Short mmCIF file of all heavy atoms in Angstrom, two decimals:
data_model
loop_
_atom_site.label_atom_id
_atom_site.label_comp_id
_atom_site.label_asym_id
_atom_site.label_seq_id
_atom_site.Cartn_x
_atom_site.Cartn_y
_atom_site.Cartn_z
N LEU D 466 184.16 179.85 150.68
CA LEU D 466 184.62 179.06 149.50
C LEU D 466 183.57 178.42 148.73
O LEU D 466 183.50 178.57 147.63
CB LEU D 466 185.57 177.91 150.11
CG LEU D 466 186.19 177.12 148.89
CD1 LEU D 466 187.67 176.98 149.26
CD2 LEU D 466 185.54 175.67 148.99
N LEU D 467 182.51 177.84 149.48
CA LEU D 467 181.35 177.25 148.79
C LEU D 467 180.52 178.28 148.02
O LEU D 467 180.14 178.08 146.90
CB LEU D 467 180.50 176.54 149.83
CG LEU D 467 179.18 175.78 149.20
CD1 LEU D 467 179.70 174.82 148.16
CD2 LEU D 467 178.49 175.02 150.39
N TYR D 468 180.26 179.41 148.61
CA TYR D 468 179.60 180.44 147.99
C TYR D 468 180.21 180.99 146.84
O TYR D 468 179.69 181.15 145.71
CB TYR D 468 179.36 181.64 149.03
CG TYR D 468 178.68 182.89 148.38
CD1 TYR D 468 177.34 182.88 148.24
CD2 TYR D 468 179.50 183.92 148.06
CE1 TYR D 468 176.72 184.02 147.65
CE2 TYR D 468 178.88 185.09 147.49
CZ TYR D 468 177.50 185.15 147.27
OH TYR D 468 176.98 186.28 146.84
N THR D 469 181.52 181.27 146.93
CA THR D 469 182.33 181.74 145.80
C THR D 469 182.28 180.78 144.67
O THR D 469 182.13 181.16 143.52
CB THR D 469 183.75 182.01 146.22
OG1 THR D 469 183.85 182.91 147.27
CG2 THR D 469 184.60 182.57 145.03
N ALA D 470 182.46 179.46 144.97
CA ALA D 470 182.53 178.50 143.96
C ALA D 470 181.26 178.40 143.14
O ALA D 470 181.27 178.42 141.94
CB ALA D 470 182.83 177.06 144.48
N VAL D 471 180.03 178.27 143.88
CA VAL D 471 178.76 178.09 143.13
C VAL D 471 178.39 179.35 142.34
O VAL D 471 177.63 179.27 141.37
CB VAL D 471 177.76 177.58 144.09
CG1 VAL D 471 177.99 176.35 144.75
CG2 VAL D 471 177.34 178.73 145.17
N THR D 472 178.85 180.51 142.78
CA THR D 472 178.42 181.75 142.11
C THR D 472 179.28 182.01 140.94
O THR D 472 179.18 183.11 140.25
CB THR D 472 178.44 182.83 143.07
OG1 THR D 472 179.66 182.98 143.71
CG2 THR D 472 177.34 182.72 144.10
N ARG D 473 180.22 181.11 140.52
CA ARG D 473 180.95 181.25 139.29
C ARG D 473 180.12 180.83 138.16
O ARG D 473 180.48 181.05 136.97
CB ARG D 473 182.22 180.47 139.32
CG ARG D 473 183.36 180.79 140.34
CD ARG D 473 183.64 182.30 140.46
NE ARG D 473 182.69 182.93 141.41
CZ ARG D 473 182.46 184.28 141.33
NH1 ARG D 473 182.90 184.90 140.27
NH2 ARG D 473 181.61 184.80 142.15
N ALA D 474 178.99 180.12 138.27
CA ALA D 474 178.28 179.44 137.22
C ALA D 474 177.10 180.38 136.79
O ALA D 474 176.58 181.08 137.55
CB ALA D 474 177.69 178.06 137.74
N ALA D 475 176.77 180.27 135.47
CA ALA D 475 175.67 181.02 134.92
C ALA D 475 174.57 180.20 134.67
O ALA D 475 173.44 180.63 134.74
CB ALA D 475 176.21 181.63 133.61
N GLU D 476 174.70 178.84 134.41
CA GLU D 476 173.59 177.99 134.01
C GLU D 476 173.48 176.78 134.93
O GLU D 476 172.33 176.29 135.12
CB GLU D 476 173.82 177.52 132.60
CG GLU D 476 173.85 178.64 131.57
CD GLU D 476 174.09 178.07 130.12
OE1 GLU D 476 174.24 176.86 129.97
OE2 GLU D 476 174.24 178.97 129.18
N PHE D 477 174.57 176.17 135.42
CA PHE D 477 174.43 174.92 136.11
C PHE D 477 175.65 174.74 137.16
O PHE D 477 176.73 175.07 136.79
CB PHE D 477 174.49 173.80 135.06
CG PHE D 477 174.51 172.38 135.66
CD1 PHE D 477 173.36 171.75 135.95
CD2 PHE D 477 175.70 171.74 135.78
CE1 PHE D 477 173.36 170.44 136.49
CE2 PHE D 477 175.74 170.43 136.35
CZ PHE D 477 174.53 169.81 136.73
N VAL D 478 175.26 174.21 138.23
CA VAL D 478 176.27 173.84 139.25
C VAL D 478 176.15 172.44 139.62
O VAL D 478 174.98 171.92 139.91
CB VAL D 478 176.09 174.77 140.55
CG1 VAL D 478 176.95 174.21 141.61
CG2 VAL D 478 176.50 176.14 140.24
N ARG D 479 177.21 171.74 139.75
CA ARG D 479 177.28 170.29 140.28
C ARG D 479 178.23 170.35 141.43
O ARG D 479 179.31 170.71 141.41
CB ARG D 479 177.81 169.37 139.18
CG ARG D 479 177.98 167.86 139.71
CD ARG D 479 178.71 167.03 138.70
NE ARG D 479 177.97 166.88 137.50
CZ ARG D 479 178.11 167.47 136.32
NH1 ARG D 479 179.23 168.27 136.18
NH2 ARG D 479 177.38 167.32 135.27
N VAL D 480 177.72 169.88 142.59
CA VAL D 480 178.49 169.72 143.77
C VAL D 480 178.85 168.32 144.02
O VAL D 480 177.99 167.48 144.05
CB VAL D 480 177.70 170.31 144.98
CG1 VAL D 480 178.57 170.16 146.27
CG2 VAL D 480 177.34 171.82 144.82
N VAL D 481 180.15 168.08 144.11
CA VAL D 481 180.68 166.71 144.22
C VAL D 481 181.27 166.56 145.74
O VAL D 481 182.05 167.27 146.06
CB VAL D 481 181.79 166.42 143.29
CG1 VAL D 481 182.34 164.95 143.52
CG2 VAL D 481 181.34 166.46 141.78
N GLY D 482 180.49 165.84 146.50
CA GLY D 482 180.93 165.67 147.94
C GLY D 482 179.91 165.03 148.75
O GLY D 482 178.94 164.34 148.27
N THR D 483 180.11 165.02 150.08
CA THR D 483 179.15 164.39 150.99
C THR D 483 178.28 165.41 151.70
O THR D 483 178.65 166.71 151.66
CB THR D 483 179.93 163.64 152.16
OG1 THR D 483 180.66 164.60 152.89
CG2 THR D 483 180.88 162.61 151.49
N GLU D 484 177.07 165.08 152.24
CA GLU D 484 176.31 166.04 153.01
C GLU D 484 177.08 166.50 154.12
O GLU D 484 176.90 167.73 154.49
CB GLU D 484 175.01 165.25 153.48
CG GLU D 484 174.04 166.15 154.21
CD GLU D 484 172.82 165.50 154.65
OE1 GLU D 484 172.31 164.59 153.89
OE2 GLU D 484 172.24 165.84 155.62
N GLU D 485 177.89 165.73 154.75
CA GLU D 485 178.69 166.25 155.96
C GLU D 485 179.54 167.39 155.46
O GLU D 485 179.74 168.39 156.22
CB GLU D 485 179.54 165.16 156.49
CG GLU D 485 178.62 164.14 157.27
CD GLU D 485 177.89 163.13 156.23
OE1 GLU D 485 178.32 163.01 155.08
OE2 GLU D 485 177.01 162.43 156.72
N ALA D 486 180.17 167.23 154.30
CA ALA D 486 181.04 168.32 153.82
C ALA D 486 180.23 169.61 153.53
O ALA D 486 180.65 170.73 153.87
CB ALA D 486 181.75 167.88 152.58
N VAL D 487 179.06 169.45 152.94
CA VAL D 487 178.23 170.68 152.72
C VAL D 487 177.86 171.41 153.94
O VAL D 487 178.02 172.54 154.12
CB VAL D 487 177.04 170.22 151.97
CG1 VAL D 487 176.15 171.49 151.67
CG2 VAL D 487 177.35 169.74 150.50
N ARG D 488 177.40 170.53 154.95
CA ARG D 488 177.08 171.12 156.28
C ARG D 488 178.20 171.76 156.93
O ARG D 488 178.02 172.87 157.54
CB ARG D 488 176.39 170.11 157.15
CG ARG D 488 174.91 169.60 156.66
CD ARG D 488 174.37 168.69 157.60
NE ARG D 488 173.02 168.30 157.17
CZ ARG D 488 171.87 168.98 157.31
NH1 ARG D 488 172.03 170.12 158.15
NH2 ARG D 488 170.71 168.57 156.98
N ALA D 489 179.41 171.24 156.80
CA ALA D 489 180.56 171.86 157.49
C ALA D 489 180.83 173.12 156.86
O ALA D 489 181.22 174.05 157.50
CB ALA D 489 181.71 170.76 157.44
N ALA D 490 180.78 173.12 155.51
CA ALA D 490 181.07 174.44 154.77
C ALA D 490 180.17 175.54 155.25
O ALA D 490 180.55 176.64 155.48
CB ALA D 490 181.20 174.17 153.34
N VAL D 491 178.94 175.23 155.27
CA VAL D 491 177.93 176.28 155.50
C VAL D 491 178.06 176.76 156.96
O VAL D 491 177.78 177.96 157.25
CB VAL D 491 176.43 175.71 155.23
CG1 VAL D 491 175.42 176.70 155.63
CG2 VAL D 491 176.26 175.34 153.74
N ALA D 492 178.47 175.89 157.82
CA ALA D 492 178.43 176.29 159.18
C ALA D 492 179.82 176.89 159.66
O ALA D 492 180.02 177.29 160.67
CB ALA D 492 178.24 175.04 160.06
N ARG D 493 180.74 176.94 158.67
CA ARG D 493 182.13 177.51 159.01
C ARG D 493 182.46 178.76 158.25
O ARG D 493 183.04 178.69 157.29
CB ARG D 493 183.11 176.37 158.72
CG ARG D 493 184.51 176.64 159.11
CD ARG D 493 185.48 175.54 158.77
NE ARG D 493 185.11 174.22 159.30
CZ ARG D 493 185.37 173.02 158.69
NH1 ARG D 493 185.79 173.13 157.60
NH2 ARG D 493 184.99 171.96 159.34
N PRO D 494 182.08 179.96 158.80
CA PRO D 494 182.42 181.20 158.09
C PRO D 494 183.91 181.51 158.36
O PRO D 494 184.46 181.06 159.44
CB PRO D 494 181.57 182.24 158.68
CG PRO D 494 181.24 181.75 160.03
CD PRO D 494 181.21 180.21 159.83
N VAL D 495 184.61 182.15 157.41
CA VAL D 495 185.97 182.54 157.73
C VAL D 495 186.04 183.51 158.80
O VAL D 495 185.38 184.52 158.92
CB VAL D 495 186.56 183.11 156.40
CG1 VAL D 495 188.00 183.72 156.73
CG2 VAL D 495 186.68 182.03 155.30
N SER D 496 186.96 183.23 159.82
CA SER D 496 187.08 184.10 160.95
C SER D 496 188.14 185.24 160.74
O SER D 496 188.14 186.11 161.62
CB SER D 496 187.37 183.22 162.19
OG SER D 496 188.61 182.66 162.12
N ARG D 497 188.96 185.06 159.82
CA ARG D 497 190.05 186.04 159.48
C ARG D 497 189.40 187.35 159.26
O ARG D 497 188.46 187.57 158.44
CB ARG D 497 190.93 185.58 158.34
CG ARG D 497 192.02 186.50 158.08
CD ARG D 497 193.02 185.77 157.16
NE ARG D 497 192.45 185.44 155.90
CZ ARG D 497 192.65 186.08 154.71
NH1 ARG D 497 193.35 187.21 154.82
NH2 ARG D 497 192.11 185.64 153.69
N ALA D 498 190.02 188.47 159.82
CA ALA D 498 189.48 189.80 159.48
C ALA D 498 190.74 190.81 159.36
O ALA D 498 191.80 190.45 159.81
CB ALA D 498 188.59 190.20 160.62
N SER D 499 190.41 192.03 158.95
CA SER D 499 191.45 192.99 158.69
C SER D 499 191.71 193.84 159.93
O SER D 499 192.60 194.56 160.08
CB SER D 499 191.12 193.90 157.53
OG SER D 499 189.96 194.55 157.81
N GLY D 500 190.72 193.72 160.94
CA GLY D 500 190.84 194.71 162.10
C GLY D 500 190.07 196.01 161.89
O GLY D 500 189.90 196.70 162.72
N LEU D 501 189.52 196.20 160.65
CA LEU D 501 188.81 197.40 160.31
C LEU D 501 187.43 197.32 160.93
O LEU D 501 186.91 198.40 161.46
CB LEU D 501 188.66 197.59 158.90
CG LEU D 501 190.00 197.69 157.98
CD1 LEU D 501 189.54 197.95 156.60
CD2 LEU D 501 190.76 198.79 158.54
N ARG D 502 186.82 196.23 161.02
CA ARG D 502 185.37 196.22 161.38
C ARG D 502 185.17 196.69 162.87
O ARG D 502 184.35 197.41 163.22
CB ARG D 502 184.84 194.74 161.34
CG ARG D 502 183.31 194.64 161.41
CD ARG D 502 182.87 193.34 161.15
NE ARG D 502 181.43 193.15 161.35
CZ ARG D 502 180.74 192.05 161.18
NH1 ARG D 502 181.40 190.99 160.81
NH2 ARG D 502 179.48 192.00 161.38
N HIS D 503 186.10 196.21 163.75
CA HIS D 503 186.04 196.60 165.20
C HIS D 503 186.26 198.11 165.30
O HIS D 503 185.58 198.83 166.00
CB HIS D 503 187.18 195.83 165.90
CG HIS D 503 187.26 196.33 167.33
ND1 HIS D 503 186.30 196.05 168.24
CD2 HIS D 503 188.33 196.93 167.96
CE1 HIS D 503 186.76 196.66 169.50
NE2 HIS D 503 187.89 197.21 169.22
#
């Protein structure tokens, strides 16, 4: 979610939040999968 959001910008990104929220987002990849990879 964080990666998708910041990569929508061409010139400037402003992140509104706490450091704890940023760290939680970076540390939490989506675990959902299609079953194809296995």
Side-chain angles (χ1 to χ4, degrees):
L466 181 132
L467 180 57
Y468 173 82
T469 301
V471 300
T472 54
R473 298 310 91 208
E476 299 176 4
F477 175 84
V478 169
R479 175 187 297 106
V480 177
V481 179
T483 64
E484 179 176 328
E485 291 74 21
V487 174
R488 290 185 177 277
V491 174
R493 188 186 294 151
V495 172
S496 59
R497 180 166 61 101
S499 62
L501 299 183
R502 190 175 179 183
H503 173 69

